[in-house]
Amino acid sequence: MTNRLAYPLAFASGGLLTLMVLFNGQWAREGTPLFASWMAHGTGTAAALVFLLLLRLGRRPSETRRPAPLWAYLGGLSGAVTVMLTSTTVNSFLALSGTLALGLAGQAGFSLLSDRFGWFGLPARRIGGTDLAALALILAGSLLVIFT
Amino acid sequence: MLQPILFAFLGGALVSVSRAINGRLSLATSAMTASFWNHLVGFLFLSAVALLWGGLMPGGWPDAPVTAWFGGTLGVLFVASGSWLVARIGATLTAMLVIAGQMVSGVALDLALGQSDNLLPKAAGVALILAGMMLARRGR
């Protein structure tokens, strides 16, 4: 049941990402990448508050869950550093295409390790041959899209 | 030579790191709560960076189309869905499917904006990506 919903959701969220990059990039065209990311995080914080209020209006008081460790609140640091790193590399010899391609490699490599060993308190998962073949096809196709 | 390569690779790895961390937070709270903290912490951190190093608005407040104001909202939905997904189908499958969606929609957007030349290799790339997605689905 989860999977049936998860596949199309994940694919659609990639489309959301394309639009997000387009819109955030409109700030960076005349401002700096730092300004673009700062604005995206600021307006995002406000938007998330609105979403949370809307979600909570129709909900009964939720059951108490075990609290998250403190580090789990720091995911935003990682995202902010990503912007700082990639805004330097797109202006290097790598350009946008090289930055994207190496970024995909970094994502794929780290995800495989994270799943295999169950990092960050998420369940460990076995990665099979089919998964690796699927990953290889998607990465190969992505490289074709990026570099042509 | 080596530094940009390392930075770009690290940038990608950090995308997976933040998705996993937010996923962990979503298990204890909710996907939208995780997205809220992600944005608030990122905003405070970037504000501190801007105060220390400057470079936020060297040319004054930049002029941008109204759509620029909605990038952050899309980001909130993106982070919330990523947190929900990574805790359920794992980091690799989430990354794979998000990348697939990003690439295919990117090609579609270029087509829609009429910025697309060299269509044949891009179509081949999309075909490979779709084949990979079908394979991933069979593997379950």
Side-chain angles (χ1 to χ4, degrees), chain B residues 114-137:
Chain B
Q115 290 171 347
S116 189
D117 42 337
N118 220 355
L119 207 59
L120 206 61
K122 286 205 198 296
V126 169
L128 279 180
I129 290 168
L130 295 179
M133 286 179 63
M134 286 198 282
L135 190 60
R137 180 136 221 180

Side-chain angles (χ1 to χ4, degrees), chain B:
Chain B
M1 175 72 194
L2 207 60
Q3 200 208 31
I5 293 179
L6 199 70
F7 274 18
F9 189 82
L10 194 62
L14 284 175
V15 170
S16 299
V17 171
S18 74
R19 192 180 284 143
I21 295 178
N22 289 326
R24 175 64 186 84
L25 181 57
S26 81
L27 284 180
T29 56
S30 73
M32 189 53 77
T33 308
S35 187
F36 166 74
W37 283 104
N38 175 83
H39 282 80
L40 181 63
V41 169
F43 180 70
L44 295 176
F45 175 73
L46 289 169
S47 301
V49 168
L51 280 175
L52 284 173
W53 293 338
L56 194 61
M57 298 176 243
W61 190 274
D63 209 20
V66 69
T67 42
W69 287 93
F70 294 97
T73 306
L74 296 182
V76 165
L77 297 173
F78 177 74
V79 171
S81 73
S83 310
W84 190 85
L85 287 161
V86 75
R88 282 161 184 82
I89 61 172
T92 308
L93 193 54
T94 303
M96 259 198 258
L97 294 169
V98 170
I99 290 168
Q102 189 186 6
M103 291 298 147
V104 173
S105 61
V107 171
L109 181 70
D110 281 348
L111 265 180
L113 295 177
Q115 290 171 347
S116 189
D117 42 337
N118 220 355
L119 207 59
L120 206 61
K122 286 205 198 296
V126 169
L128 279 180
I129 290 168
L130 295 179
M133 286 179 63
M134 286 198 282
L135 190 60
R137 180 136 221 180
R138 272 180 80 119
R140 297 290 128 178

